[in-house]
Amino acid sequence: MSENELISPLSVALLARTGPARERLREALVQAGASVVLEEDPNTLEADTLRGAGAAAVLVALEPAIEEALERLDPVLASPALTLIFDEAELAARREGWEAQRWARHLVAKLHGHQDVLPPGSEQEGVVELEPGLPVTPAELHADAPLDFHVREAFDAAPEVPADGLYPAREGYSEPLSLEEALAAMQAADVASAPVAPQPPAPPAVPAAAPATPAAAVGHHSSWSLVDTDDAPAEAAPVAASPEAQETPAADIHTGGLSLVELEPELPPSDAAPGAVLVLAGIGGPDALRRLLASLPAGLAVPVLVYMRLDGGRYGNLVKQMARVSALPVLLAESDQPVVAGNAYILPDDVGVGVQNRGLHFTADVEGVQVSALPAPHSAVVMLSGADARLVDDALSLAVAGGWVAGQTGEGCYDPIAASAVVAAGMAAGDPPQIAAAIAERWGVSE
């Protein structure tokens, strides 16, 4: 009998509208060994009915149609005695086969409070027992090994080792001290041994010509010529400057018409933060995002940007959900607005970020937020469950430039592809509360 079978089934209230999502969640609860004590549509459920059901956990299928109902039931759902689990209704309705079984294993781990999410048959056959002390080093293993045999063997083989040399020595002179001396000696020997060439006969005498005109002094311009001529050039007389040119003083330089271009006045720094923490999420993201924002302290000295793609673009509803658990103000990002520290922003699909006047501002961008637009020394990227794996390279590039990158691990990470990739690359890792604690420690709290 397994450990899970020894634990008594948990009582769970299932809040979902009638449809395929509700049926899939019910099947997952039965597979997890839970006892469904209440199964109702949140739009018709009363708070007293939910409070009196005696449920230890509540599983909610999130969709826009139940947003107002969740606000009405929030006094009961916010009870610390309840384990609150959220799942997206659209994803739950499509979940089948292997993915449905995988999500059921994560649900079992969440309900029973453990981290065993592996399928049956993957248990370890043996447990490694750790022993105190440091491992034995190679030096300690060979401390008493005899070396005499190796010394004798090296001594016997020494005469057979070829000697080192750059060139064969010639007879008749000793080895020079340097390569330059050797080359000089070899060149001198070659010159001495070379035969003497016969001298050519002297040319016949030429009759004396008329005395030539004396050459101009070296450096005189009269000796310059581009075309050879027979006539000797006459010396040019020096040109004397006119008395008027010598006596007239140079005119003063007037600077009345010159001026320096006025520089644009430097704008004062705005309230925009120099960087931000970008949180990326997807499948399973609402639950991980709730846990992350709920663990961040008020007055955090860095803004938090959240991007989780939603079908239908109902990001205003996500703002309401996260505002109920976050100590930070949760706002919907709008273009042309500064990114202020101490706030959490939900990013729509068409809003990005850019640096203006040394601070981050929201910009209109049809491609959404870009990791490369963040100033690396002041920014971070957090990969939660379901983050887009195509952004892993951009996140690692930000880390190389000085940014901080972390990935979610542990239970509740239903889609760990992107998060596991950054963790495997050596980035920070932890569950959402641990990542939130690392962010608070790195940036601190503004007074």
Side-chain angles (χ1 to χ4, degrees):
M1 182 176 296
S2 64
E3 181 182 357
N4 291 341
E5 294 176 353
L6 296 176
I7 303 176
S8 59
L10 294 177
S11 55
V12 180
L14 175 58
L15 305 185
R17 293 202 306 164
T18 304
R22 183 166 166 176
E23 296 175 1
R24 297 286 189 277
L25 294 178
R26 185 192 313 113
E27 294 172 359
L29 288 173
V30 173
Q31 185 176 351
S35 176
V36 181
V37 297
L38 179 65
E39 182 177 337
E40 290 291 341
D41 185 343
N43 293 325
T44 60
L45 179 63
E46 297 295 335
D48 294 337
T49 304
L50 177 59
R51 185 182 292 107
V58 178
L59 176 58
V60 181
L62 285 176
E63 54 182 325
I66 66 170
E67 293 296 333
E68 296 181 0
L70 291 182
E71 294 181 2
R72 178 170 48 83
L73 298 174
D74 186 67
V76 181
L77 297 176
S79 173
L82 285 179
T83 299
L84 197 57
I85 305 173
F86 292 92
D87 191 17
E88 297 181 26
E90 185 176 356
L91 295 177
R94 297 198 308 257
R95 202 177 286 130
E96 294 180 354
W98 175 86
E99 189 166 348
Q101 296 177 4
R102 177 173 174 269
W103 192 88
R105 292 194 300 270
H106 282 272
L107 183 60
V108 171
K110 189 177 293 291
L111 292 175
H112 293 296
H114 60 77
Q115 298 184 359
D116 183 13
V117 296
L118 298 177
S122 59
E123 296 82 3
Q124 296 182 355
E125 296 181 357
V127 179
V128 179
E129 296 184 359
L130 301 178
E131 298 181 357
L134 298 175
V136 181
T137 62
E140 295 175 348
L141 289 175
H142 303 284
D144 300 329
L147 299 178
D148 296 340
F149 170 77
H150 303 285
V151 174
R152 289 195 302 270
E153 184 180 10
F155 181 79
D156 295 338
E160 302 177 1
V161 178
D164 188 14
L166 297 176
Y167 52 85
R170 288 190 178 185
E171 297 180 357
Y173 70 93
S174 60
E175 180 76 14
L177 298 177
S178 64
L179 180 61
E180 290 77 5
E181 294 177 357
L183 294 176
M186 294 171 61
Q187 184 176 6
D190 293 340
V191 172
S193 60
V196 179
Q199 295 291 335
V206 179
T213 303
V218 177
H220 197 278
H221 66 275
S222 62
S223 63
W224 299 351
S225 175
L226 295 178
V227 180
D228 293 336
T229 59
D230 296 335
D231 300 334
E235 292 188 8
V239 180
S242 62
E244 293 80 3
Q246 296 178 357
E247 297 177 358
T248 303
D252 296 336
I253 299 177
H254 297 283
T255 60
L258 302 179
S259 63
L260 296 176
V261 178
E262 296 184 1
L263 299 177
E264 295 182 0
E266 185 177 359
L267 298 177
S270 62
D271 295 335
V277 176
L278 176 60
V279 180
L280 303 173
I283 298 177
D287 184 46
L289 188 55
R290 281 176 177 269
R291 297 168 61 194
L292 176 71
L293 293 180
S295 303
L296 290 174
L300 186 66
V302 66
V304 178
L305 311 181
V306 177
Y307 180 68
M308 183 177 66
R309 187 175 183 83
L310 297 178
D311 295 336
R314 297 181 176 270
Y315 294 99
N317 295 332
L318 184 60
V319 171
K320 296 179 182 178
Q321 295 177 24
M322 298 305 149
R324 290 199 293 265
V325 299
S326 174
L328 301 173
V330 182
L331 308 172
L332 184 64
E334 299 179 1
S335 59
D336 301 327
Q337 295 296 323
V339 183
V340 182
N343 293 334
Y345 298 92
I346 304 298
L347 295 173
D349 295 332
D350 56 353
V351 174
V353 292
V355 178
Q356 300 177 12
N357 191 24
R358 303 192 299 270
L360 274 184
H361 286 71
F362 293 115
T363 60
D365 193 339
V366 293
E367 297 183 358
V369 63
Q370 304 294 323
V371 177
S372 58
L374 296 173
H378 309 287
S379 301
V381 174
V382 176
M383 294 282 191
L384 296 182
S385 175
D388 192 348
R390 295 174 297 181
L391 300 178
V392 170
D393 292 339
D394 294 340
L396 296 180
S397 299
L398 185 82
V400 172
W404 187 78
V405 179
Q408 179 185 355
T409 58
E411 62 172 314
C413 192
Y414 305 113
D415 184 6
I417 296 177
S420 299
V422 297
V423 173
M427 302 296 104
D431 57 20
Q434 292 173 340
I435 295 177
I439 292 173
E441 181 179 1
R442 182 180 179 87
W443 276 275
V445 178
S446 300
E447 296 180 358

